Amino acid sequence: MIYTIENNRIVIYNKKDFVPKHILECGQIFSYKKIDKNCYEVYSADKMCKVFEQEQCVVVETLNVEYFVNFFDLKTNYEEIKSKLINNHPFMQKPIEFGAGIRILKQDIFETIISFIVSANNNIKRIQKILFSLREKYGCKNGTYSSFPTLKQLENVTIEEFKQLGLGYRSKYLYNVIKQLKNVDLEKLKNLSTLELNNFLLSLMGVGQKVADCIMLFAFYKQDVFPVDTWIEKVYCCYFEMQTNRNIIRKSLLKEFGNLSGYAQQYLFYSQREQNFL
DNA sequence: CCCCAGGTAGGCT
DNA sequence: AGCCTACATGGG
């Protein structure tokens, strides 16, 4: 990725490998706002940036330049990943063309855990609404926006209070997870293997295999995971004309894509959800 | 009234 | 281990 840093800006020159719409609307992140056609505000933990397109480049404007260089995964060569995927799996051509500008974000661990627990059996509009409510109610006011609440800030929130945000039966999950995470050093989890991390995440209330896979992919940058949700289920059943359960689909797709699973999943998810490309 | 949304927990074989 | 179902909430 070719980019320069000037004061409070990251300027990205190869636009085809960085399309804000693809990156933000492919379902990996919920905390962003579309300001207008080519301008977004993106919130991650206690930080934020503004992303907008110009003729020759994309600009990320932020007070936390280094954080967002990492966040947007600017040091990874997506051109190479995409051509590998297409060469090894020709049917990926169309999904990759459709989501050509996707990048897998490196998101905050705590925020990602909470966000994807909220996402279960829920729709994206409502997930976003709930997560912004969490920010406004329990996070720190930070000028124009509220930061995502820390574990400490959620420690004394009751199940009833979560319910008032529209969390429904997931209120109990959040309440319990916050208790479970109280004595865990999240940063240290980065040292675990995919399997070890998976087992830990599955021990959290409200985290099943799909949510665990999302957390590993979006917060731990594990690539050998393949989150299977309703959309991927549709993709799979259309391609292979098979009705089967999600665990078998997951194993089958992991075998198919190996260490590129995480990337493949995002292209397939995005194109399926946006346009029913089949 | 139904079905669906980035599914999971708990209970049953 | 695997299969079944209830589950909060809001939108179509």
Side-chain angles (χ1 to χ4, degrees):
Chain A
M1 175 60 75
I2 303 162
Y3 64 94
T4 59
I5 292 172
E6 3 180 299
N7 295 326
N8 296 335
R9 289 177 160 212
I10 309 164
V11 184
I12 296 145
Y13 294 98
N14 32 350
K15 286 177 75 174
K16 65 181 169 42
D17 292 332
F18 192 115
V19 178
K21 180 183 169 66
H22 296 173
I23 296 170
L24 299 170
E25 296 185 20
C26 74
Q28 62 181 324
I29 183 168
F30 303 106
S31 295
Y32 68 89
K33 282 179 184 165
K34 188 166 189 165
I35 304 299
D36 61 53
K37 188 172 173 296
N38 69 14
C39 181
Y40 294 83
E41 281 181 9
V42 183
Y43 312 93
S44 176
D46 58 340
K47 303 176 178 63
M48 81 88 102
C49 70
K50 206 175 267 195
V51 184
F52 52 93
E53 289 184 58
Q54 296 187 336
E55 302 216 347
Q56 303 296 332
C57 59
V58 183
V59 177
V60 176
E61 203 170 68
T62 177
L63 296 176
N64 302 94
V65 165
E66 284 153 56
Y67 181 85
F68 282 101
V69 166
N70 179 62
F71 182 82
F72 284 111
D73 195 22
L74 294 187
K75 308 213 165 154
T76 299
N77 183 346
Y78 278 75
E79 203 165 19
E80 193 179 317
I81 291 164
K82 285 182 279 186
S83 59
K84 265 190 203 167
L85 275 173
I86 293 171
N87 288 337
N88 299 339
H89 320 274
F91 67 93
M92 289 298 290
Q93 179 86 39
K94 276 191 182 174
I96 287 179
E97 275 172 20
F98 183 75
I102 289 178
R103 312 180 74 78
I104 308 268
L105 299 173
K106 296 184 174 179
Q107 301 187 55
D108 177 77
I109 297 171
F110 181 66
E111 180 171 7
T112 305
I113 292 173
I114 300 300
S115 297
F116 279 88
I117 289 172
V118 173
S119 80
N121 197 26
N122 209 342
N123 64 64
I124 290 180
K125 269 265 154 62
R126 238 169 64 77
I127 299 164
Q128 289 178 322
K129 191 182 164 206
I130 290 169
L131 292 175
F132 275 117
S133 305
L134 263 179
R135 282 174 173 270
E136 271 149 42
K137 190 118 199 209
Y138 301 109
C140 291
K141 291 261 177 289
N142 210 341
T144 57
Y145 67 102
S146 295
S147 58
F148 196 82
T150 61
L151 181 69
K152 262 219 152 44
Q153 288 172 310
L154 295 179
E155 241 169 29
N156 296 315
V157 180
T158 63
I159 296 180
E160 281 310 312
E161 288 172 314
F162 281 135
K163 278 190 179 164
Q164 287 175 7
L165 301 184
L167 276 158
Y169 63 87
R170 304 177 197 82
S171 305
K172 191 176 68 183
Y173 301 164
L174 253 60
Y175 178 84
N176 281 305
V177 162
I178 284 154
K179 300 241 168 312
Q180 286 180 278
L181 290 180
K182 200 169 170 183
N183 295 310
V184 176
D185 181 350
L186 294 177
E187 284 301 313
K188 278 197 176 157
L189 297 176
K190 289 179 176 171
N191 299 324
L192 299 182
S193 70
T194 303
L195 187 61
E196 291 167 331
L197 181 58
N198 190 54
N199 289 338
F200 169 76
L201 292 172
L202 289 180
S203 75
L204 301 177
M205 163 127 351
V207 177
Q209 189 59 67
K210 187 271 170 184
V211 169
D213 283 334
C214 286
I215 295 167
M216 291 194 284
L217 180 56
F218 303 133
F220 290 92
Y221 207 60
K222 299 284 189 192
Q223 289 305 321
D224 49 341
V225 299
F226 208 111
V228 178
D229 64 347
T230 50
W231 299 99
I232 293 296
E233 200 168 22
K234 281 179 200 165
V235 174
Y236 189 87
C237 294
C238 288
Y239 267 143
F240 301 105
E241 295 176 347
M242 296 175 58
Q243 282 293 336
T244 180
N245 73 53
R246 290 188 179 189
N247 195 32
I248 291 173
I249 294 174
R250 176 171 173 276
K251 279 185 194 159
S252 160
L253 291 172
L254 275 172
K255 196 177 170 192
E256 171 82 16
F257 290 104
N259 286 331
L260 296 177
S261 291
Y263 301 106
Q265 196 271 359
Q266 280 300 281
Y267 296 115
L268 289 170
F269 173 85
Y270 181 56
S271 55
Q272 176 64 30
R273 194 172 72 85
E274 290 289 310
Q275 61 165 17
N276 285 299
F277 69 98
L278 290 167

